Amino acid sequence: GAVPVVTALYGAGCRDFFVAHAEEGAEIRACAPDANIYVLDGFYEGCTELYIAHSLTPCLGSFAEIADYQALARSQEKPLPAMLNFNIRMNRLGLNKIETKELLDNHATMLAGIDVKGIMNHFSCADTPDHPITETQFKVFSDIARNFDAVFPALIKSLCNSSGLFRSPDYHFDLVRPGMALYGLNPTPEQDNPMHPVVRLEAPIIRTRIVYQGASIGYDATYKFKNDTLIATVAAGYADGLPWSLSNQGAFYWKGYRCLIRGRVSMDMSSIDLSAVPENDRPQVGDFIEVIGDHQNPAMIAKDAGALDYEILTSLGKRYDRRYLSA
């Protein structure tokens, strides 16, 4: 849903977007014509034309990337914009301490042809309150910012993810990068969610049946019924992003009643137990049952599945009919 999400954010005044890769940046350019679109994965082979055609700004985090991007700038005969990404206790992407010093000492040659727009880092532990690494990252990043300001005045500084936003206003700098918070997930899991839920998910019931005492259900017969039980088959499975680990663990909701998943979650279907629903209020074939909504949020599903709430939302498949509503 990148296009409708960006369209809504652009309409609300956002003019800076961070995407994972260049293809995603190209996809959203038309709905954010004058926005800054930063590519977190950096600059990589095979997508050179996308950076030029769609005016994308890579977040450069290695000498090799910087050299390749310089070569592109030379071929275009003009400076090209970039963010510089630093590795501070995350150890994924970014320039390390030694590389950072070398870049500062030799910036005139190593960054020739690159229009440095800003610098960035990413919190690794901000979802844990008072984690010492968070303050360490802030202090190191602040030192880097001071050093680069002496060379490149008025640089944009960006550090905060969703959780960092709620830890300290000192961490905000110039540009923040909320991700999970935009979709209503809780960036401060130790306390009540400061965000409003924005995602609902419902799936249709395609069959109901009585499964008799002693019978099993689903692949590998992992659940055997102790009593005659009314079961509903729901048209949603792991191909739609429902974790297989919800098998015999999770639940869906019907009018507030928790309906437990019985047996394996299969590719296209899940089976739920309607025993908790009063007989005169049970759903019928064609009714839609709540997967995510008023009674169950992604964090609850994640807990049942042994997963992350972010993982639940990003796993939702393409087969759902998505409807975007304005608040």
Side-chain angles (χ1 to χ4, degrees):
V3 169
V5 170
V6 168
T7 300
L9 292 172
Y10 185 86
C14 182
R15 293 297 181 270
D16 296 280
F17 296 92
F18 286 81
V19 298
H21 45 72
E23 292 87 349
E24 189 177 20
E27 180 186 9
I28 68 171
R29 173 51 80 191
C31 52
D34 60 341
N36 301 308
I37 300 177
Y38 302 96
V39 180
L40 290 168
D41 283 1
F43 181 71
Y44 44 93
E45 293 182 9
C47 294
T48 300
E49 68 282 357
L50 294 179
Y51 292 89
I52 299 300
H54 301 281
S55 300
L56 306 180
T57 302
C59 300
L60 304 176
S62 72
F63 286 172
E65 279 183 287
I66 291 171
D68 288 344
Y69 198 57
Q70 279 184 305
L72 178 62
R74 286 194 297 271
S75 73
Q76 298 296 307
E77 299 182 342
K78 64 179 181 181
L80 294 179
M83 291 274 281
L84 298 178
N85 189 9
F86 297 92
N87 174 32
I88 305 173
R89 302 296 291 272
M90 177 68 92
N91 290 314
R92 298 188 310 184
L93 305 176
L95 300 158
N96 64 30
K97 183 178 180 179
I98 295 173
E99 292 169 331
T100 299
K101 184 179 185 305
E102 184 176 347
L103 192 65
L104 280 166
D105 291 342
N106 300 282
H107 62 86
T109 55
M110 295 185 71
L111 293 173
I114 297 178
D115 180 11
V116 180
K117 296 295 186 181
I119 63 173
M120 63 171 291
N121 183 219
H122 190 77
F123 280 130
S124 60
C125 304
D127 55 340
T128 302
D130 302 319
H131 198 292
I133 285 181
T134 302
E135 185 65 14
T136 297
Q137 286 183 287
F138 166 67
K139 290 178 178 178
V140 174
F141 184 74
S142 297
D143 288 340
I144 293 172
R146 281 191 292 271
N147 290 328
F148 271 87
D149 271 339
V151 179
F152 301 100
L155 283 181
I156 295 169
K157 291 92 174 173
S158 181
L159 179 62
C160 269
N161 57 2
S162 293
S163 296
L165 271 166
F166 290 88
R167 298 307 178 194
S168 171
D170 293 341
Y171 300 163
H172 292 182
F173 289 96
D174 304 308
L175 190 63
V176 296
R177 307 189 306 273
M180 65 186 301
L182 291 176
Y183 297 88
L185 301 180
N186 189 355
T188 54
E190 80 283 358
Q191 61 187 27
D192 290 341
N193 191 353
M195 310 306 297
H196 293 296
V198 299
V199 177
R200 299 181 64 87
L201 176 62
E202 297 177 338
I205 292 174
I206 57 174
R207 181 70 185 267
T208 60
R209 72 182 330 127
I210 298 291
V211 179
Y212 295 104
Q213 179 183 4
S216 59
I217 192 167
Y219 287 114
D220 296 328
T222 60
Y223 187 87
K224 181 179 288 188
F225 290 91
K226 296 179 181 179
N227 303 291
D228 295 353
T229 304
L230 180 63
I231 290 294
T233 301
V234 180
Y238 56 77
D240 304 293
L242 297 180
W244 184 79
S245 55
L246 285 176
S247 302
N248 293 309
Q249 297 293 328
F252 302 156
Y253 279 81
W254 173 255
K255 296 184 178 181
Y257 295 101
R258 181 172 167 85
C259 303
L260 299 172
I261 295 173
R262 300 302 194 192
R264 298 280 197 221
V265 173
S266 57
M267 182 182 295
D268 308 304
M269 290 172 276
S270 304
S271 299
I272 58 171
D273 187 335
L274 298 180
S275 299
V277 183
E279 188 173 347
N280 63 353
D281 203 17
R282 288 173 175 167
Q284 306 298 314
V285 171
D287 286 335
F288 279 73
I289 197 158
E290 175 189 325
V291 181
I292 299 171
D294 294 336
H295 305 95
Q296 178 164 256
N297 59 41
M300 296 166 66
I301 299 175
K303 183 177 180 180
D304 288 337
L308 299 172
D309 49 0
Y310 219 154
E311 187 179 351
I312 300 303
L313 289 191
T314 57
S315 296
L316 297 180
K318 295 181 178 180
R319 297 193 293 188
Y320 294 113
D321 175 25
R322 286 168 163 80
R323 301 180 183 182
Y324 297 88
L325 306 178
S326 298

